[in-house]
């Protein structure tokens, strides 16, 4: 059985000292995230609306005088990694956690000619492969440690673009949401993130909102089968865009040919676009297209609902998002559908899968009066029924909107 996920600063410092013989001088940390709405839109250059979690990856480290990276994990399940920094670092076998360490090293060596390595210990209280971006948090924490020891600029937005690029080393053609929110989040806020250029609009989460995260317990390893499914969705979206943009231009719906989703969505309202797409696309591509266009519209609507502290309205958009991800984008699962249904029955204003899907977590919205009932329903209606209620605090928690990543002296 895996170790307790909690990694306190003293525990991390002890692990470092036991390994390297003196206290750690530096710490980098990067939070995971829960995406409130806007799924499978980021790699299409359309907005998303996530918030950073209070759960994070923490890395205690000290610089080396050579180009080696030596990194131990507080969880013995993950073997130590040890490699030389160079512009094209050969990856470990597919699925190794060490590839998320090599990803920023390889990228920063190529982009900024970094040469100095570090040694350290990393720990995390984020469940892995659960759609909470543990992978991007790790990439960010390692990237920040490398930038720190090599004196590379770490301005959040520019660094997020680099880290999004860096993570593609592992083979997933992801968008930039996870790296951006993990680096750029503000305390107590969610952020509407738009792309090309990357921008974050911070929106305070109403005080009495409770964002519940519940893990199905089914891993969605994006280094495994889910990676191919994810990359296929991305390719389908590109093809759907190309066909619909062509059709819209030749039929006079747009004045000129749109080459990006943002141009197309900016030029024509969602309803008209869906009608054009229905004529131009075969059934599967049409469903992918409809999800992307309607989800982008829901993101902007959701930002307004949050500003208005309209819990019911925001929840309804979450439900619509889940329905669209299930029926049109085909990334839900029996467990995700069941967990969202139990959350709604327990009184949640809305619930949806969060992250890429294929397993992992759901996010549900409640307020301080309904949260107790929702949590109870989830325990009784899902976890206990599946005999899955051990370590419940790691599977089911209320997320605290938290600040983005940082790096500096260990006790700083
Ligand atoms: P997960 O699998 O939840 O970390 C992935 C992508 C995001 C985004 C979502 C779907 C990576 C690192 N993350 O998130 O960019 O596309 O799926 O909205 O590839």
């Amino acid at each position: 059985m895996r170790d307790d996920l909690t990694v306190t600063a003293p525990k991390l410092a002890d692990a470092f000292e036991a390994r390297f013989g003196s206290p750690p001088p530096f710490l980098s940390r990067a939070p995971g995230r829960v995406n409130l709405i806007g799924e499978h839109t980021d790699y299409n250059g359309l907005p998303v609306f996530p918030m950073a979690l209070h759960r994070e990856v923490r890395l205690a480290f000290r610089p080396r005088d050579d180009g080696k990276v030596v990194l131990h994990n507080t969880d013995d399940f993950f073997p130590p990694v040890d490699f030389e920094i160079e512009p094209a670092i050969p990856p470990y076998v597919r699925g190794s956690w060490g590839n998320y360490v090599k990803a920023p090293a390889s990228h920063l060596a190529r982009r900024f000619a970094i040469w100095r390595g570090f040694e350290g210990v990393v720990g995390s209280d984020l469940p892995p492969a659960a759609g909470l971006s543990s992978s991007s948090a790790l990439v960010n924490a390692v990237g920040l440690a490398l930038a720190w020891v090599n004196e590379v600029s770490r301005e959040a937005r520019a660094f997020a673009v680099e880290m999004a690029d860096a993570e593609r080393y592992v083979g997933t053609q992801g968008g930039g949401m996870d790296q951006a929110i993990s680096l750029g989040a503000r305390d107590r806020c969610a952020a509407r993130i738009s792309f090309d250029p990357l921008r974050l609009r911070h929106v305070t989460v109403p005080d009495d909102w409770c964002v519940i995260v519940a893990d199905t317990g089914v891993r969605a390893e994006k280094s495994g089968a889910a990676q191919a499914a994810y990359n296929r969705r991305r390719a389908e979206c590109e093809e759907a865009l190309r066909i619909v943009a062509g059709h819209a231009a030749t039929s006079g719906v747009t004045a000129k040919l749109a080459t990006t989703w943002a141009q197309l969505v900016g030029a024509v309202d969602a309803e008209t676009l869906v009608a054009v797409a229905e004529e131009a696309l075969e059934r599967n591509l049409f469903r992918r297209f409809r999800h992307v266009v309607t989800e982008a519209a829901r993101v902007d609507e959701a930002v307004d609902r949050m500003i208005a502290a309209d819990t019911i309205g925001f929840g309804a958009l979450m439900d619509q998002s889940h329905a669209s991800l299930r029926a049109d984008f085909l990334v839900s699962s029996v467990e995700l559908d069941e967990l969202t249904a139990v959350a709604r029955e327990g009184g949640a204003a809305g619930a949806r899968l969060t992250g890429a899907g294929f397993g992992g977590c759901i996010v549900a919205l409640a307020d301080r009066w309904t949260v107790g009932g929702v949590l109870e329903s989830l325990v009784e209606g899902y976890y206990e029924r599946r005999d899955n209620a051990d370590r419940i605090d790691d599977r089911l928690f209320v997320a605290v909107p938290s600040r983005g990543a940082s790096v500096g002296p260990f006790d700083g």
Side-chain angles (χ1 to χ4, degrees):
M1 176 163 296
R2 302 280 298 278
D3 206 4
D4 180 0
L5 283 180
T6 316
V7 190
T8 58
K11 197 166 154 188
L12 193 61
D14 285 352
F16 183 95
E17 194 160 351
R19 193 65 71 183
F20 299 111
S22 61
F26 303 116
L27 174 75
S28 69
R29 42 161 294 281
R33 62 99 184 96
V34 57
N35 189 17
L36 300 177
I37 198 158
E39 222 63 84
H40 292 274
T41 46
D42 65 347
Y43 52 78
N44 293 311
L46 294 174
V48 292
F49 197 26
M51 67 184 218
L53 294 173
H54 56 295
R55 290 176 171 243
E56 58 187 26
V57 168
R58 295 185 196 120
L59 198 176
F61 67 97
R62 73 176 173 212
R64 289 177 60 104
D65 289 329
D66 61 14
K68 265 181 117 173
V69 171
V70 178
L71 188 58
H72 294 262
N73 198 307
T74 53
D75 187 336
D76 295 339
F77 182 81
F78 300 106
V81 301
D82 181 335
F83 62 87
E84 285 289 333
I85 297 174
E86 49 183 310
I89 303 171
Y92 295 116
V93 291
R94 213 176 130 111
S96 304
W97 80 285
N99 285 336
Y100 293 95
V101 183
K102 287 183 167 181
S106 189
H107 182 80
L108 293 173
R110 227 174 21 253
R111 291 275 293 136
F112 302 103
I114 64 160
W115 64 271
R116 187 190 286 275
F118 67 77
E119 51 206 9
V121 177
V122 69
S124 165
D125 56 4
L126 281 162
L132 301 179
S133 273
S134 57
S135 64
S136 300
L138 177 58
V139 168
N140 283 345
V142 172
L144 285 175
L146 286 167
W148 179 265
V149 302
N150 288 283
E151 295 176 18
V152 168
S153 162
R154 300 174 303 275
E155 190 277 315
R157 277 192 305 157
F159 203 67
V161 173
E162 299 297 342
M163 291 301 99
D165 237 7
E167 193 166 336
R168 298 194 182 106
Y169 175 91
V170 305
T172 309
Q173 295 305 310
M177 159 169 65
D178 304 346
Q179 301 80 3
I181 191 68
S182 174
L183 285 160
R186 286 197 191 149
D187 220 10
R188 300 177 49 234
C189 292
R192 178 195 186 273
I193 302 177
S194 50
F195 302 91
D196 313 314
L198 183 66
R199 289 222 168 83
L200 280 77
R201 177 182 171 199
H202 302 279
V203 182
T204 306
V205 179
D207 271 349
D208 57 14
W209 280 22
C210 298
V211 175
I212 298 167
V213 173
D215 189 352
T216 57
V218 178
R219 304 294 75 182
E221 298 283 0
K222 281 226 307 313
S223 44
Q227 185 178 84
Y230 180 94
N231 289 343
R232 194 159 55 242
R233 296 294 181 289
R234 185 175 178 144
E236 286 169 346
C237 288
E238 275 166 23
E239 197 187 345
L241 168 68
R242 195 178 44 74
I243 296 171
V244 176
H247 198 79
T250 49
S251 59
V253 173
T254 54
K256 54 182 190 202
L257 182 68
T259 53
T260 66
W261 282 92
Q263 283 172 9
L264 191 63
V265 167
V268 189
D269 66 273
E271 210 175 310
T272 311
L273 270 184
V274 170
V276 173
E278 198 160 15
E279 272 175 30
L281 297 173
E282 54 82 17
R283 188 164 164 69
N284 273 335
L285 281 189
F286 167 65
R287 287 152 99 196
R288 307 295 180 270
F289 184 94
R290 181 165 60 183
H291 168 73
V292 173
V293 166
T294 57
E295 185 78 351
R298 281 187 287 271
V299 168
D300 288 331
E301 179 65 21
V303 171
D304 292 344
R305 296 298 99 227
M306 185 180 282
I307 291 167
D310 174 2
T311 322
I312 302 296
F314 197 100
L317 292 164
M318 292 170 87
D319 288 348
Q320 288 164 25
S321 169
H322 186 78
S324 177
L325 287 159
R326 188 192 61 231
D328 275 354
F329 220 68
L330 303 187
V331 291
S332 192
S333 68
V334 174
E335 294 83 2
L336 287 163
D337 291 346
E338 190 182 329
L339 209 43
T340 50
V342 174
R344 286 183 208 111
E345 282 156 22
R352 53 182 292 279
L353 70 85
T354 186
F358 316 108
C361 287
I362 67 148
V363 56
L365 180 63
D367 59 28
R368 68 168 76 138
W369 299 275
T370 53
V371 65
V374 180
L375 292 172
E376 211 173 277
S377 297
L378 289 167
V379 171
E380 285 169 10
Y382 186 85
Y383 296 104
E384 284 179 357
R385 281 180 51 194
R386 287 170 181 258
D387 230 1
N388 215 355
D390 63 314
R391 299 261 168 80
I392 193 73
D393 294 347
D394 286 328
R395 297 167 192 269
L396 177 64
F397 57 89
V398 177
V400 182
S402 301
R403 72 190 168 115
S406 58
V407 58
F410 190 86
D411 56 358

